[in-house]
Amino acid sequence: SENEVRNKLYHGIIISGNDIAECGKIAKKLEDFQIYKIIRVVSDRKEKSYYAYIEKEKLAAINDEFFLLKNKMPDEMVAIFMQEFKEIVEGAMIPIIIIDRDAVEIIGRISGTDFKFMSFYIYNENEDNKEASIYDKNNVIAKFNYSIDDKSVFDVAALIDKLWNLRERGGGLSRD
């Protein structure tokens, strides 16, 4: 029933990080477990990887009640359709939302809804992102339940799966 869905500790997973392509690989690996499903995130910016594009005017014209979340940022609108979220949950799957690090305020917006998400920041330090990594560590990562250093896609996916399965029994030190 809808009340049972709303009373869960967590309703899905959010994955973000300083390398969105790596986050996508981890989410795809989680789908291999056959209980997770990536939910479509839409954006009014064409060049966003892992987001579906919808023209700004069309996205703005859709009534807010059709969205699990509709987040307006200065130069972008990002949204998740409620119907797609419900279909995944009703299909006994665990929804995974992939967001880029520029949209981390989505976590705060979602926590203002009836649904709660276990959130992971995947930290992948390399020579190209050393400057960003200092910013990430000081400002972005604190918004997530867990921060994971990315060693391998398989290992990170296995850890997320383990933490998900222990979510109502303890087992990980969450920031919540």
Side-chain angles (χ1 to χ4, degrees), residues 2-3 7 9-10 13 35 37 52-54 77-78 94 97 112 125 131 137-138 147 160-161 168-170 172-173:
E2 192 155 323
N3 273 346
N7 289 331
L9 180 60
Y10 291 110
I13 293 173
I35 60 168
K37 178 82 175 130
Y53 171 70
I54 296 181
M77 189 179 319
V78 175
I94 299 149
I97 299 170
E125 186 173 313
E131 273 306 306
K137 284 188 171 177
N138 293 332
S147 171
I160 291 172
D161 180 59
E168 294 178 9
R169 294 186 290 275
L173 296 175

CSV table of all heavy atoms in Angstrom, one decimal, residues 2-3 7 9-10 13 35 37 52-54 77-78 94 97 112 125 131 137-138 147 160-161 168-170 172-173:
chain,number,residue,atom,x,y,z
A,2,GLU,N,0.3,2.4,-0.3
A,2,GLU,CA,1.0,3.6,-0.4
A,2,GLU,C,1.6,4.0,1.0
A,2,GLU,O,2.7,4.5,1.1
A,2,GLU,CB,0.2,4.8,-0.9
A,2,GLU,CG,1.0,6.0,-1.3
A,2,GLU,CD,0.4,6.8,-2.3
A,2,GLU,OE1,-0.2,6.3,-3.3
A,2,GLU,OE2,0.5,8.1,-2.2
A,3,ASN,N,0.9,3.7,2.1
A,3,ASN,CA,1.4,4.0,3.4
A,3,ASN,C,2.6,3.2,3.8
A,3,ASN,O,3.5,3.7,4.4
A,3,ASN,CB,0.3,3.8,4.5
A,3,ASN,CG,-0.6,5.0,4.7
A,3,ASN,OD1,-0.2,6.1,4.3
A,3,ASN,ND2,-1.7,4.8,5.4
A,7,ASN,N,6.3,4.7,4.7
A,7,ASN,CA,6.9,4.4,6.1
A,7,ASN,C,8.2,3.7,6.1
A,7,ASN,O,8.8,3.4,7.1
A,7,ASN,CB,5.9,3.6,6.9
A,7,ASN,CG,4.7,4.4,7.3
A,7,ASN,OD1,4.7,5.6,7.4
A,7,ASN,ND2,3.5,3.7,7.4
A,9,LEU,N,12.2,3.2,5.8
A,9,LEU,CA,13.4,4.0,6.2
A,9,LEU,C,14.0,4.7,5.0
A,9,LEU,O,14.2,5.9,5.1
A,9,LEU,CB,14.4,3.1,6.9
A,9,LEU,CG,15.7,3.8,7.4
A,9,LEU,CD1,15.3,4.9,8.5
A,9,LEU,CD2,16.6,2.8,8.0
A,10,TYR,N,14.2,4.0,4.0
A,10,TYR,CA,14.7,4.6,2.7
A,10,TYR,C,13.9,4.0,1.6
A,10,TYR,O,13.5,2.9,1.6
A,10,TYR,CB,16.2,4.2,2.5
A,10,TYR,CG,17.1,4.8,3.4
A,10,TYR,CD1,17.8,4.1,4.4
A,10,TYR,CD2,17.4,6.2,3.4
A,10,TYR,CE1,18.7,4.7,5.3
A,10,TYR,CE2,18.3,6.8,4.3
A,10,TYR,CZ,18.9,6.1,5.2
A,10,TYR,OH,19.8,6.6,6.1
A,13,ILE,N,18.1,5.1,-3.6
A,13,ILE,CA,19.5,5.4,-3.5
A,13,ILE,C,19.8,6.6,-4.4
A,13,ILE,O,19.3,6.7,-5.6
A,13,ILE,CB,20.4,4.2,-3.9
A,13,ILE,CG1,20.2,3.1,-2.9
A,13,ILE,CG2,21.8,4.6,-4.1
A,13,ILE,CD1,20.9,1.8,-3.3
A,35,ILE,N,17.8,-6.0,-8.6
A,35,ILE,CA,16.8,-5.4,-7.7
A,35,ILE,C,16.9,-3.9,-7.7
A,35,ILE,O,16.0,-3.3,-7.1
A,35,ILE,CB,17.0,-5.9,-6.2
A,35,ILE,CG1,18.4,-5.6,-5.7
A,35,ILE,CG2,16.8,-7.4,-6.1
A,35,ILE,CD1,18.5,-5.7,-4.2
A,37,LYS,N,17.1,-0.3,-10.1
A,37,LYS,CA,16.7,0.3,-11.4
A,37,LYS,C,17.1,1.8,-11.4
A,37,LYS,O,16.6,2.5,-10.5
A,37,LYS,CB,15.2,0.1,-11.6
A,37,LYS,CG,14.7,0.6,-12.9
A,37,LYS,CD,15.0,-0.3,-14.0
A,37,LYS,CE,14.3,0.2,-15.3
A,37,LYS,NZ,15.2,0.2,-16.4
A,52,ALA,N,18.1,12.9,-19.2
A,52,ALA,CA,17.3,13.0,-20.4
A,52,ALA,C,17.0,14.5,-20.7
A,52,ALA,O,16.7,15.2,-19.7
A,52,ALA,CB,16.0,12.2,-20.3
A,53,TYR,N,17.0,14.9,-21.9
A,53,TYR,CA,16.8,16.3,-22.2
A,53,TYR,C,15.3,16.5,-22.5
A,53,TYR,O,14.7,15.8,-23.3
A,53,TYR,CB,17.7,16.7,-23.4
A,53,TYR,CG,17.3,18.1,-24.0
A,53,TYR,CD1,17.6,19.2,-23.3
A,53,TYR,CD2,16.6,18.2,-25.2
A,53,TYR,CE1,17.3,20.5,-23.8
A,53,TYR,CE2,16.3,19.4,-25.7
A,53,TYR,CZ,16.7,20.6,-25.0
A,53,TYR,OH,16.3,21.8,-25.5
A,54,ILE,N,14.8,17.6,-21.9
A,54,ILE,CA,13.5,18.1,-22.2
A,54,ILE,C,13.6,19.6,-22.4
A,54,ILE,O,14.2,20.3,-21.5
A,54,ILE,CB,12.4,17.8,-21.1
A,54,ILE,CG1,12.2,16.3,-21.0
A,54,ILE,CG2,11.1,18.5,-21.4
A,54,ILE,CD1,11.2,15.8,-20.0
A,77,MET,N,17.2,23.4,-14.9
A,77,MET,CA,16.1,22.8,-14.2
A,77,MET,C,16.3,21.2,-14.3
A,77,MET,O,16.5,20.7,-15.4
A,77,MET,CB,14.7,23.2,-14.8
A,77,MET,CG,13.6,22.7,-13.9
A,77,MET,SD,11.9,23.2,-14.5
A,77,MET,CE,12.2,24.9,-15.1
A,78,VAL,N,16.2,20.5,-13.2
A,78,VAL,CA,16.3,19.1,-13.1
A,78,VAL,C,15.0,18.5,-12.5
A,78,VAL,O,14.5,19.1,-11.5
A,78,VAL,CB,17.5,18.7,-12.3
A,78,VAL,CG1,17.6,17.2,-12.1
A,78,VAL,CG2,18.8,19.3,-12.9
A,94,ILE,N,14.4,-1.2,-6.5
A,94,ILE,CA,15.0,-0.1,-5.7
A,94,ILE,C,15.5,1.0,-6.7
A,94,ILE,O,16.4,0.8,-7.5
A,94,ILE,CB,16.1,-0.5,-4.8
A,94,ILE,CG1,15.6,-1.6,-3.8
A,94,ILE,CG2,16.8,0.6,-4.0
A,94,ILE,CD1,16.7,-2.6,-3.5
A,97,ILE,N,18.9,7.1,-8.2
A,97,ILE,CA,19.0,8.5,-8.9
A,97,ILE,C,20.5,8.8,-9.0
A,97,ILE,O,21.2,8.8,-8.0
A,97,ILE,CB,18.3,9.5,-8.0
A,97,ILE,CG1,16.8,9.1,-7.9
A,97,ILE,CG2,18.4,10.9,-8.6
A,97,ILE,CD1,16.0,10.0,-6.9
A,112,GLY,N,12.8,16.9,1.8
A,112,GLY,CA,11.6,17.6,2.2
A,112,GLY,C,10.3,17.0,1.7
A,112,GLY,O,9.2,17.4,2.0
A,125,GLU,N,39.7,10.5,-6.8
A,125,GLU,CA,40.7,11.6,-7.0
A,125,GLU,C,41.7,11.2,-8.1
A,125,GLU,O,42.2,10.0,-8.1
A,125,GLU,CB,41.5,11.7,-5.7
A,125,GLU,CG,42.5,12.9,-5.7
A,125,GLU,CD,43.1,13.2,-4.4
A,125,GLU,OE1,42.4,13.3,-3.4
A,125,GLU,OE2,44.3,13.3,-4.4
A,131,GLU,N,42.0,20.1,-7.6
A,131,GLU,CA,41.3,21.3,-7.1
A,131,GLU,C,39.9,21.0,-6.7
A,131,GLU,O,39.5,21.4,-5.6
A,131,GLU,CB,41.3,22.4,-8.2
A,131,GLU,CG,42.5,23.2,-8.3
A,131,GLU,CD,42.9,23.9,-7.0
A,131,GLU,OE1,42.1,24.6,-6.4
A,131,GLU,OE2,44.1,23.8,-6.6
A,137,LYS,N,35.6,17.7,-0.7
A,137,LYS,CA,35.7,17.3,0.7
A,137,LYS,C,35.2,18.3,1.7
A,137,LYS,O,34.7,17.9,2.8
A,137,LYS,CB,37.2,17.0,1.0
A,137,LYS,CG,37.7,15.7,0.4
A,137,LYS,CD,39.0,15.3,0.8
A,137,LYS,CE,39.3,13.9,0.3
A,137,LYS,NZ,40.7,13.5,0.6
A,138,ASN,N,35.3,19.6,1.4
A,138,ASN,CA,34.9,20.6,2.4
A,138,ASN,C,33.5,21.0,2.3
A,138,ASN,O,32.9,21.4,3.3
A,138,ASN,CB,35.8,21.8,2.2
A,138,ASN,CG,37.2,21.6,2.6
A,138,ASN,OD1,37.5,20.7,3.4
A,138,ASN,ND2,38.1,22.3,2.0
A,147,SER,N,30.3,8.6,2.1
A,147,SER,CA,31.3,9.0,1.1
A,147,SER,C,32.2,7.8,0.9
A,147,SER,O,32.7,7.2,1.9
A,147,SER,CB,32.2,10.2,1.6
A,147,SER,OG,33.3,10.4,0.8
A,160,ILE,N,27.8,-0.6,-1.7
A,160,ILE,CA,26.4,0.0,-1.7
A,160,ILE,C,25.3,-1.0,-1.5
A,160,ILE,O,24.4,-0.8,-0.7
A,160,ILE,CB,26.2,0.8,-3.0
A,160,ILE,CG1,27.1,2.1,-3.0
A,160,ILE,CG2,24.7,1.3,-3.1
A,160,ILE,CD1,27.1,2.8,-4.3
A,161,ASP,N,25.4,-2.1,-2.2
A,161,ASP,CA,24.4,-3.2,-2.0
A,161,ASP,C,24.4,-3.7,-0.6
A,161,ASP,O,23.4,-3.9,0.0
A,161,ASP,CB,24.7,-4.3,-3.0
A,161,ASP,CG,23.7,-5.5,-2.9
A,161,ASP,OD1,22.5,-5.2,-3.0
A,161,ASP,OD2,24.2,-6.6,-2.5
A,168,GLU,N,18.2,-1.3,7.7
A,168,GLU,CA,17.3,-1.3,8.9
A,168,GLU,C,17.9,-2.1,10.0
A,168,GLU,O,17.2,-2.3,11.0
A,168,GLU,CB,16.0,-1.8,8.4
A,168,GLU,CG,15.3,-0.8,7.4
A,168,GLU,CD,14.0,-1.3,6.9
A,168,GLU,OE1,13.4,-2.3,7.4
A,168,GLU,OE2,13.5,-0.6,6.0
A,169,ARG,N,19.1,-2.6,9.9
A,169,ARG,CA,19.7,-3.4,11.0
A,169,ARG,C,21.0,-2.7,11.5
A,169,ARG,O,21.6,-3.3,12.4
A,169,ARG,CB,20.1,-4.8,10.4
A,169,ARG,CG,18.8,-5.6,10.1
A,169,ARG,CD,19.2,-7.0,9.7
A,169,ARG,NE,19.9,-7.1,8.4
A,169,ARG,CZ,19.3,-7.2,7.2
A,169,ARG,NH1,18.1,-7.1,7.1
A,169,ARG,NH2,20.1,-7.3,6.1
A,170,GLY,N,21.4,-1.6,10.9
A,170,GLY,CA,22.7,-1.0,11.3
A,170,GLY,C,23.8,-1.6,10.5
A,170,GLY,O,23.5,-2.4,9.5
A,172,GLY,N,26.5,0.3,9.2
A,172,GLY,CA,27.4,1.3,8.6
A,172,GLY,C,27.2,2.6,9.4
A,172,GLY,O,26.2,2.8,10.0
A,173,LEU,N,28.2,3.4,9.4
A,173,LEU,CA,28.1,4.6,10.1
A,173,LEU,C,27.7,5.7,9.2
A,173,LEU,O,28.4,6.3,8.4
A,173,LEU,CB,29.5,5.0,10.8
A,173,LEU,CG,30.0,4.0,11.8
A,173,LEU,CD1,31.4,4.5,12.3
A,173,LEU,CD2,29.0,4.0,13.0
